[in-house]
Amino acid sequence: MALTPETNDLSAYLTASELIDYEDKGIQAVAAELSERSKDRVELAKAAYEYVRDSISHSCDIQGRVVTCEASSVLRHKEGICYAKSHLLAAILRSLKIPTGFCYQKLVFDDSDLSYLTLHGLNAIYLENLDKWIRVDARGNKQGVQAEFNIEKECLAFPVREELGESDYPIIYAKPNESVVAALRNIKTLEALMVNLPQEV
């Protein structure tokens, strides 16, 4: 799918914020460790992606007890849903001066109820030496879900099934979606969050 940056100003995809709080000491430590063992920028981006995908649990997979939102909170608790994990990945990569944005899909949440479509959060990373954006999904792999970092073709967690009303949003946003942030901040339990997920960008 052709991706469209929200702005051509790459600096917008490098900024810190209250959510993407990459000045946090824990995030800085992770970024430094990843940088030390990566030979180039593409390898560094891949290492950051795989760290968030594999070392931070998806809350639903572990029956998590906390709803995280800010990148530092996701790292501290070592869990988050897709949106929260995308905030952490953006923070790590932005701290390493690798432009990173936010992308969304509209997907059926559970195939047992095809009427409940919700937003799914992922990231886009700009690889300067390749002059291209790639989408990655740090949701976390499990049986039936196998997302990978791939510079040639997308290997996301979920294929879009247009016949079920699912869709891809092509925009690469510089900031997380406001509805997503509101849900993560205002809903206190994972159980309540799962039945009140944002449905539109």
Side-chain angles (χ1 to χ4, degrees):
M1 185 187 71
L3 300 174
T4 304
E6 184 179 31
T7 173
N8 290 322
D9 180 6
L10 285 177
S11 67
Y13 297 99
L14 290 169
T15 59
S17 68
E18 186 179 353
L19 282 176
I20 313 305
D21 53 347
Y22 62 66
E23 295 176 352
D24 173 79
K25 290 182 180 179
I27 292 174
Q28 289 288 317
V30 169
E33 180 182 345
L34 294 171
S35 186
E36 285 178 6
R37 53 187 174 91
S38 300
K39 297 192 294 279
D40 57 45
R41 304 291 280 170
V42 173
E43 188 174 292
L44 180 56
K46 180 181 180 182
Y49 162 74
E50 291 181 346
Y51 172 82
V52 176
R53 185 194 65 186
D54 300 340
S55 298
I56 307 298
S57 298
H58 190 288
S59 297
C60 289
D61 294 348
I62 61 167
Q63 291 77 52
R65 297 289 183 181
V66 61
V67 176
T68 56
C69 183
E70 294 80 7
S72 59
S73 175
V74 180
L75 180 61
R76 186 168 63 255
H77 291 284
K78 292 290 191 291
E79 72 166 280
I81 67 168
C82 59
Y83 316 129
K85 293 186 71 172
S86 77
H87 299 169
L88 177 58
L89 180 56
I92 293 171
L93 288 170
R94 289 183 180 191
S95 76
L96 294 164
K97 307 304 181 190
I98 298 176
T100 307
F102 305 93
C103 294
Y104 298 93
Q105 297 173 312
K106 190 173 187 176
L107 303 175
V108 171
F109 178 74
D110 185 334
D111 282 1
S112 65
D113 180 5
L114 299 181
S115 67
Y116 185 38
L117 283 86
T118 67
L119 290 184
H120 174 61
L122 50 158
N123 296 96
I125 304 170
Y126 182 70
L127 302 174
E128 187 174 8
N129 57 328
L130 302 178
D131 189 26
K132 69 185 292 186
W133 287 93
I134 65 167
R135 281 196 308 177
V136 295
D137 192 337
R139 179 237 176 266
N141 291 339
K142 61 176 184 175
Q143 186 174 358
V145 175
Q146 190 66 37
E148 303 291 343
F149 182 99
N150 192 309
I151 62 174
E152 301 297 335
K153 63 177 182 178
E154 288 191 336
C155 295
L156 305 180
F158 306 107
V160 166
R161 300 169 294 179
E162 294 181 359
E163 69 276 10
L164 298 181
E166 297 182 336
S167 58
D168 263 315
Y169 292 94
I171 305 298
I172 304 169
Y173 297 96
K175 298 178 180 179
N177 177 270
E178 290 183 2
S179 296
V180 163
V181 175
L184 293 177
R185 284 183 163 171
N186 297 329
I187 300 175
K188 302 306 181 185
T189 68
L190 185 63
E191 293 81 1
L193 181 61
M194 290 303 100
V195 295
N196 291 282
L197 291 170
Q199 297 180 317
E200 299 288 344
V201 168

